[in-house]
Amino acid sequence: AVLSIFFTRMISKVIRIGQVSDIHIGEDEGFVQGIDVRANFESALKSKSMKDIDLLVLSGDLANEDGEEGAYKYVADLLKDYRVPVCVIPGNHDRLDVMQKYFDLEGKVRDGKCYYRYDICGRTLLFLDSGCGTVSKDQLDWLKVEAAKVNDEILLFMHHPPCLCNHRFMDLKYSLKNIDEVQETLSSIKNIKHIFTGHYHFNFHLQLPSQQEVHVAPSTQMQIDPQAPIFNLMSSAPGWQVIEWGENFVETGVYFN
């Protein structure tokens, strides 16, 4: 008898990640800058594009101005029974001490910063805290050490883009303060090829000098005109991003309602 042995190549699961950023929820149900931000946020969560996601990422600025407690309570209550895991990081309008009351950040906060590793379906995502406008040296050191533990590709999430984005208003007023330092660290980490951010209230796809790709998600609150040197509301339509991460590819789709 001849024994035939067949080796079948296992195709890894395509992970779908919904990224929602800059929701800017206020203390109560009142509109924010004339926009129903709660309705905008909920429309993103309920959209057809988010139906089959494996993970939801809230990439900063959950609160509107200064960490309003009512904002976190609303988001936490809304997501309490959400069908997939949720990862959150703070933005420049968030207060981590208040966020911690409503989200399970145990083991994710060190020295007042929220940064951590999250594994899903055998793959690794890393999260950084740029809420104060910089990424601390401790985080950058941790990033190098943590990335070195992983042989496969890693996805990185942070609130601020680690580069300028050709957005005249945001680049001038609110860009990351230590871009050069962050880019230097990122360029040394070969298994991070895709970086996902928010903050700019507009969607961009850019490339760092190291050839790493930066995907900037739009905001569910509003989109800001990138051509204007001062604040200029372009649209109050909510936007969000869906990431498909397969064995040898990363694809993103940007959606507006």
Side-chain angles (χ1 to χ4, degrees), residues 35-188:
I35 300 168
D36 190 346
V37 291
R38 297 189 178 203
N40 277 7
F41 177 50
E42 291 182 32
S43 72
L45 294 181
K46 295 174 182 176
S47 72
K48 185 177 179 181
S49 63
M50 299 277 273
K51 184 178 180 182
D52 297 317
I53 61 173
D54 302 293
L55 176 71
L56 175 66
V57 174
L58 303 183
S59 53
D61 282 0
L62 281 65
N64 179 44
E65 281 293 339
D66 186 27
E68 293 92 334
E69 190 156 350
Y72 303 124
K73 184 179 187 307
Y74 158 78
V75 175
D77 286 347
L78 188 66
L79 297 177
K80 181 177 59 176
D81 299 315
Y82 199 62
R83 62 188 182 278
V84 300
V86 180
C87 290
V88 300
I89 49 174
N92 50 296
H93 287 287
D94 291 312
R95 284 183 51 191
L96 189 54
D97 59 330
V98 185
M99 283 181 69
Q100 286 181 271
K101 297 178 183 179
Y102 294 94
F103 297 93
D104 180 12
L105 299 179
E106 185 176 354
K108 299 177 179 179
V109 177
R110 305 171 192 128
D111 297 322
K113 303 294 181 186
C114 178
Y115 56 101
Y116 57 96
R117 170 177 172 166
Y118 183 81
D119 292 306
I120 181 171
C121 300
R123 310 199 77 179
T124 298
L125 296 81
L126 298 179
F127 295 85
L128 296 178
D129 183 343
S130 65
C132 67
T134 64
V135 180
S136 63
K137 184 180 184 302
D138 285 347
Q139 290 186 72
L140 295 177
D141 291 343
W142 170 87
L143 184 66
K144 289 186 283 190
V145 170
E146 205 62 36
K149 298 176 183 177
V150 181
N151 293 323
D152 299 325
E153 182 179 11
I154 295 167
L155 299 190
L156 175 64
F157 287 82
M158 54 193 292
H159 182 65
H160 291 68
C163 57
L164 299 179
C165 299
N166 296 314
H167 190 301
R168 295 181 68 190
F169 173 67
M170 293 298 292
D171 279 349
L172 181 65
K173 295 284 190 181
Y174 300 112
S175 61
L176 186 69
K177 296 172 186 174
N178 62 333
I179 282 177
D180 291 344
E181 183 184 8
V182 173
Q183 285 192 11
E184 182 180 358
T185 297
L186 289 173
S187 68
S188 70

